[in-house]
């Protein structure tokens, strides 16, 4: 059973979804514009039974406190570090921005992080989208003032866009999930602001990772049908960490936890058992 509670890490009050279990907890970190809700189906998979899991809303997302003005990544880093400090030994598993936050945390050398699962890692991509974002310009500066779209048309377009970007098969997209994303972009001004934030993350992460201090096991997972981040980003992360494992899920898009939670759990299970010492997660 998934329970919901409130917690505070590094001064940021947030929502926590958790399942009971023994052994080392698995901390699940969501992507940009997402929330802890994205992990519900994965947390409920039979393969995850008996494992303590914890999904949190990161600063500025979901039901967490808003971020302070200024750089985004240092705030996420401080939040994750405080969470790890409070929990002690744990495994970090993140999708997209959450994958970035997980790898960054492990790269700071914490011995409490027993393993990392990086799902559709975003920042090592080199396709045109990331190159444009990292130029530091604002190609959408006219968007909120020069363009006007009727509300119903805007809503349909935004929902269709998110279904296309998040899922392998847009027609099979969960309307509740799509609505959760679309609610954050009710008009073009909000769309522009979200894109500016995404660009800021791209600029802040241009240097990539320093994985020389990443000593824990690493599982890298990527959906082959990801329409946002090409598989080469995860291949680069895998190549930079000796001993890491790469899995490409052939029928998943940018969020395998939404497209195929059972398949993702099936790939995570052997990694978790190996990393955490077999079946020490079992309750009782």
């Amino acid at each position: 059973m998934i329970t919901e509670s409130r917690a505070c890490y590094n001064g940021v009050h947030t929502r926590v979804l958790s399942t009971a279990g023994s052994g080392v907890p698995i901390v699940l970190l969501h992507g940009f514009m997402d929330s802890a809700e994205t992990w519900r189906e994965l947390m409920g998979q039979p393969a995850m039974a008996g494992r303590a899991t914890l999904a949190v809303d990161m600063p500025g997302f979901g039901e967490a406190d808003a971020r302070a003005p200024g750089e985004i990544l240092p705030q996420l880093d401080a939040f994750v570090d405080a969470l790890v400090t409070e929990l002690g030994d744990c495994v970090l598993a993140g999708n997209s921005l959450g994958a970035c936050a997980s790898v960054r945390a492990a790269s700071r050398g914490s011995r409490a992080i027993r393993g990392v699962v990086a799902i559709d890692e975003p920042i090592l991509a080199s396709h045109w989208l990331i190159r444009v974002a990292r130029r530091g310009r604002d190609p959408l500066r006219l968007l909120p003032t020069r363009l006007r779209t009727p509300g119903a048309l805007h809503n349909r377009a935004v929902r269709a866009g998110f279904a296309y970007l998040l899922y392998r098969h847009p027609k099979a997209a969960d309307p509740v999930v799509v609505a959760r994303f679309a609610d954050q972009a009710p008009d073009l001004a909000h769309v522009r602001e979200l894109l500016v934030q995404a660009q800021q993350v791209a600029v802040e992460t241009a240097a990539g990772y320093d994985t020389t201090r990443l000593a824990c096991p690493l599982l890298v997972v990527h959906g082959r049908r990801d329409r946002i981040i090409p598989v080469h980003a995860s291949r680069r992360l895998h190549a930079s960490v000796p001993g890491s494992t790469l899995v490409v899920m052939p029928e998943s898009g940018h969020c395998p936890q939404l497209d195929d939670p059972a398949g993702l759990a099936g790939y995570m299970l052997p990694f978790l058992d190996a990393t955490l010492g077999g079946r020490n997660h079992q309750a009782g």
Side-chain angles (χ1 to χ4, degrees), residues 77-136:
D77 290 343
F79 176 85
V80 174
D81 286 349
L83 192 160
V84 171
T85 296
E86 180 163 324
L87 287 179
D89 284 0
C90 62
V91 170
L92 299 182
N95 170 238
S96 194
L97 180 60
C100 171
S102 298
V103 174
R104 285 170 64 95
S107 296
R108 291 191 287 277
S110 171
R111 295 185 178 181
I113 300 173
R114 297 274 300 276
V116 169
V117 182
I119 305 165
D120 289 63
E121 190 290 316
I123 75 166
L124 296 181
S126 61
H127 59 316
W128 70 269
L129 185 62
I130 198 75
R131 293 199 304 271
V132 168
R134 284 177 172 157
R135 289 173 185 167

Side-chain angles (χ1 to χ4, degrees), residues 111-191:
R111 295 185 178 181
I113 300 173
R114 297 274 300 276
V116 169
V117 182
I119 305 165
D120 289 63
E121 190 290 316
I123 75 166
L124 296 181
S126 61
H127 59 316
W128 70 269
L129 185 62
I130 198 75
R131 293 199 304 271
V132 168
R134 284 177 172 157
R135 289 173 185 167
R137 301 170 186 164
D138 182 4
L140 302 170
R141 61 189 179 278
L142 301 180
L143 185 57
T145 57
R146 298 292 181 85
L147 296 175
R148 293 291 182 266
T149 305
L153 178 60
H154 171 87
N155 186 263
R156 287 197 298 270
V158 167
R159 287 177 181 241
F162 279 122
Y164 178 80
L165 291 173
L166 298 176
Y167 286 85
R168 165 66 179 99
H169 299 289
K171 290 183 178 179
D174 185 336
V176 175
V177 172
V178 172
R180 190 170 73 239
F181 279 84
D183 286 347
Q184 300 176 65
D187 52 42
L188 290 173
H190 283 83
V191 171

